[in-house]
Structure formats: structure tokens, C-alpha cells
Amino acid sequence: MAEATDVTAAATAKATGKATGGRAAQLQHTGLRHGWTTGACATAATTAAYTALLTGEFPDPVTITLPKGQTPAFALAAEHLAEGRAMAGIVKDAGDDPDVTHGALIRATVRILPPGSGVVFRAGPGVGTVTRPGLPLDVGEPAINPVPRQMIRDHVAGVAARHGGTGDVEVEVSVDHGAEIARSTWNPRLGILGGISILGTTGIVVPYSCSAWIDSIRRGVDVARAAGRRHVAGCTGSTSEKVAVAVHGLPEDALLDMGDFAGAVLKYVRRHPVDRLTVAGGFAKLSKLAAGHLDLHSGRSQVDKGFLAELARHGGAGEELAAAVASANTGLEALRLCEAAGVPLGDLVAATARDEALAVLRGAPVAVDVICIDRAGTIVGRAEPVGPRGAHGRG
């Protein structure tokens, strides 16, 4: 998903043919297509279904207005009109984004309710239900996020005003094969069971944008805090996650799938503190954090062997070993060279990564420890918990 400013920039770029920076410039440079969120698709499907209920005809294509004023049109992939209810379906097009919901059929079934009922949301097949606190929805609610809900309410009101309805309806959103799709998302860990979530703050998906992942990191912190977890772990992958569990015995809802977005974890925990944060990941990735990078993706930061050589010197390496580290093929090779020479490069990387994390936390009351692993999941570096101003954290 893109931030609102990115969408505005993209619209400007489309109008002028020139993007000045940010994701709009990236999109223009790559030639990738943007797409539509599940929330936009559900809004369009609801608009078509309610219009059919009031007029007897489905608008096809159906046009909606997104939060920033764009007015995309959606073709209907399914429609059904019966007494007191109507269903419309739209196939989600995520553009060139590798989105697990690309191609999913998003359906909205609208039923007339008694006057004064307002808009009532239901989770149909393939849409999840919230079962844990900490999300922006109450436990028991369908996983239709606040912005899509408001978009749907606004469009229901608009259809009612145009065609003489009351706007009192039940909106049931369903997703074909949504329960299967949800297995590839964060939903089971966040306690959203039975299907996917209906998401989106702008209605637009920008290809290869990282904000959807970052949003899930934030929701993970919220869920952990709501569950009373005071110790969470940000892990770069499944192997480091298993190590964090083995070392600290953390429950599933205290685990954050950080991926490459170390900065997203640290900045959100800075604003929403927990007592302790464990950062766990591969040695090479965490060496990037130690070097001051907050985005650990290989396309946006590289292992700095010169930096590793300098750390090795601080750990007692002579010039010959330091030179070998600086010219190593990979970070792991640099680590092995130092291990063979008795230089604790793994611990040095962990300690420096911890210090960088504490710098990003800017004195927030969070103790940080770091675990570095190799590809087999063996711990190759540790840094014990330290809090702000060097205070040792609670174990």
C-alpha cells in the first residue's frame, strides 16, 4: 500500500508526465502498474449491489471515489439480485505488486435492514474475524478495517441519496478462497481467523511498496501490548524467530515478522514502548543495522566489509586478518575468518547493532538485546539487554 502523499504524487506524475521523487518516481521509472486494495474492491462491490437493490440494475462498470479523490471504475465479475438482497463481485487487480490477494474475487452482499439500523458489517466466507485485542477493531468484529468501513458507509449514503434509500443495510463481504489466502498472511498470528482482512487507507496499491508490511509490524506490536506482553522480538525470518523462541520462550503473539524493516519496528516501539525488545536475525543482515542501515533489504543496503574489518580490529584482529575480512566474499565468510582467529566478530556486530537500535529508540524506556545467527540457525553473536543511557534491562 502507498502512503497518501505517494498517491497524490503519483496522480500528479500521471497528469504532468513527470515525477519528482518518492514512490511515484520509482513507479514511473519501472513502468509498473498500480492496483486497488481489497477495501476499494469491497466498496465498489457494495456500491453496485446497493444500487441494484434500489434500482433493479447493476452499474457496470461501477465508479467509486477514493479518499484522495480518485474515481476508478471497476468491472463486475459476478452479480445476483434477489428479493431484499443483492450481490456483486469484483476481481482484485493488484497491478504489478506481488500481493497474495491479486486475482481474488471480492464479493459484497447487501441486505435491506429496518430504518435506523445504519450500516452493519458481516464477515462472509473468506473474510476473517478478530479474536484478539490490540487491533483497530473489537474482538468478534469482521476484519474489515476502519478506512474501508468508512468508504463503504459513505458510498452507501451516496447511493441512498441518489436513489431514495434509507441507507440502512447489512453489508456482508466475502472472498472466494479467502481462508486459503489468509495462510500466507499475518492474520492467523494476529488472531484474525477464518480469512483475509479487508484493508487499505488510500484504495491504491503501489507496486513493491513496503507500507503494508510495516503496517502489519505496527499491528503486531499493538496486539502484543494488548495481550500484556512486555517483551517482544523483531525477527528477520522464520529461522531467527525459532531461535528467539528457544532462547526467550516467547509466545507467538510476542513475535514480530520484522523482515528487512528494522527501522519500522524501532520507530513504532519508540512511540509504543515495551520493557524489552529482542532483535534477532542473520549475521549479515544485522551487520547492516550495526552499520546504521534501517532497511536491511539487499536492494537497498549492502554488507559493508570495510566496516566489519574495523569492528574486527576493535576485537583484536591484526592487519592481515582485517584485510582478509575487508576482501571477503560475504559477511558470513568474514565471520568465519574471525571465528577461526578467535576474534568475536559476531558479538561485536550484535553489540553495535544494539547500540544503533538504542539510538533510534531515542531514550524510550526499552531495553534491547540482539541475537545474530548463521543460516543454520546457530547463534554466532549475542549482545545482552541494555536500556536507555546504558541501564541494563530486565531479563
Side-chain angles (χ1 to χ4, degrees):
M1 314 292 182
E3 298 294 339
T5 52
D6 299 319
V7 175
T8 303
T12 302
K14 184 175 180 182
T16 64
K18 185 177 181 181
T20 57
R23 290 190 180 96
Q26 175 192 355
L27 189 60
Q28 189 177 59
H29 174 73
T30 60
L32 298 172
R33 292 187 310 114
H34 67 259
W36 311 109
T37 64
T38 49
C41 295
T43 300
T46 300
T47 302
Y50 190 34
T51 301
L53 262 183
L54 297 182
T55 68
E57 296 290 336
F58 288 89
D60 190 8
V62 57
T63 300
I64 63 170
T65 302
L66 299 180
K68 288 295 174 178
Q70 301 92 337
T71 54
F74 297 80
L76 299 188
E79 58 183 63
H80 179 73
L81 180 60
E83 185 66 30
R85 64 184 175 87
M87 181 278 295
I90 288 169
V91 174
K92 176 177 171 177
D93 178 5
D96 291 323
D97 193 68
D99 190 316
V100 293
T101 59
H102 176 69
L105 181 59
I106 315 293
R107 301 177 188 261
T109 300
V110 178
R111 299 177 179 87
I112 300 293
L113 294 179
S117 300
V119 178
V120 176
F121 293 96
R122 303 288 183 212
V127 169
T129 298
V130 176
T131 67
R132 292 182 190 167
L135 294 167
L137 300 167
D138 291 336
V139 171
E141 282 291 311
I144 303 169
N145 266 23
V147 171
R149 286 182 184 230
Q150 191 57 50
M151 289 170 60
I152 289 171
R153 288 191 192 99
D154 290 345
H155 283 77
V156 164
V159 172
R162 289 192 297 273
H163 302 295
T166 67
D168 299 293
V169 294
E170 176 190 272
V171 178
E172 179 186 282
V173 182
S174 60
V175 179
D176 289 18
H177 310 294
E180 278 176 53
I181 296 169
R183 295 190 195 114
S184 300
T185 73
W186 268 51
N187 278 13
R189 174 166 295 171
L190 294 176
I192 298 171
L193 304 182
I196 69 167
S197 300
I198 304 302
L199 302 171
T201 56
T202 65
I204 294 177
V205 175
V206 174
Y208 305 102
S209 158
C210 62
S211 62
W213 198 329
I214 289 172
D215 185 63
S216 13
I217 287 171
R218 293 168 177 167
R219 298 293 75 79
V221 173
D222 293 344
V223 166
R225 282 165 50 91
R229 310 300 179 198
R230 302 311 302 163
H231 182 181
V232 301
C235 306
T236 59
S238 58
T239 303
S240 56
E241 187 175 274
K242 289 174 185 174
V243 172
V245 169
V247 170
H248 293 302
L250 294 173
E252 186 178 60
D253 59 5
L255 302 172
L256 308 173
D257 188 358
M258 178 174 74
D260 293 315
F261 303 111
V265 171
L266 294 167
K267 291 172 186 176
Y268 198 70
V269 169
R270 182 174 73 208
R271 299 192 300 272
H272 305 272
V274 292
D275 289 348
R276 183 166 169 185
L277 170 66
T278 295
V279 177
F283 169 82
K285 278 193 184 292
L286 293 191
S287 78
K288 298 180 189 181
L289 175 59
H293 297 288
L294 299 182
D295 184 338
L296 310 182
H297 190 278
S298 59
R300 295 181 285 275
S301 60
Q302 299 296 320
V303 175
D304 184 343
K305 266 90 76 177
F307 169 75
L308 292 180
E310 192 58 35
L311 282 183
R313 287 188 185 94
H314 286 304
E319 282 308 310
E320 185 177 348
L321 176 56
V325 168
S327 60
N329 224 8
T330 64
L332 198 56
E333 182 187 351
L335 174 68
R336 298 305 183 212
L337 288 169
C338 287
E339 285 177 334
V343 173
L345 184 60
D347 290 339
L348 291 164
V349 163
T352 310
R354 178 193 60 198
D355 293 345
E356 287 294 323
L358 289 168
V360 176
L361 287 168
R362 297 180 188 170
V366 181
V368 179
D369 68 289
V370 174
I371 303 172
C372 296
I373 63 170
D374 63 15
R375 288 175 184 166
T378 302
I379 296 174
V380 296
R382 290 284 300 272
E384 291 304 307
V386 170
R389 296 179 297 280
H392 286 276
R394 294 189 286 274

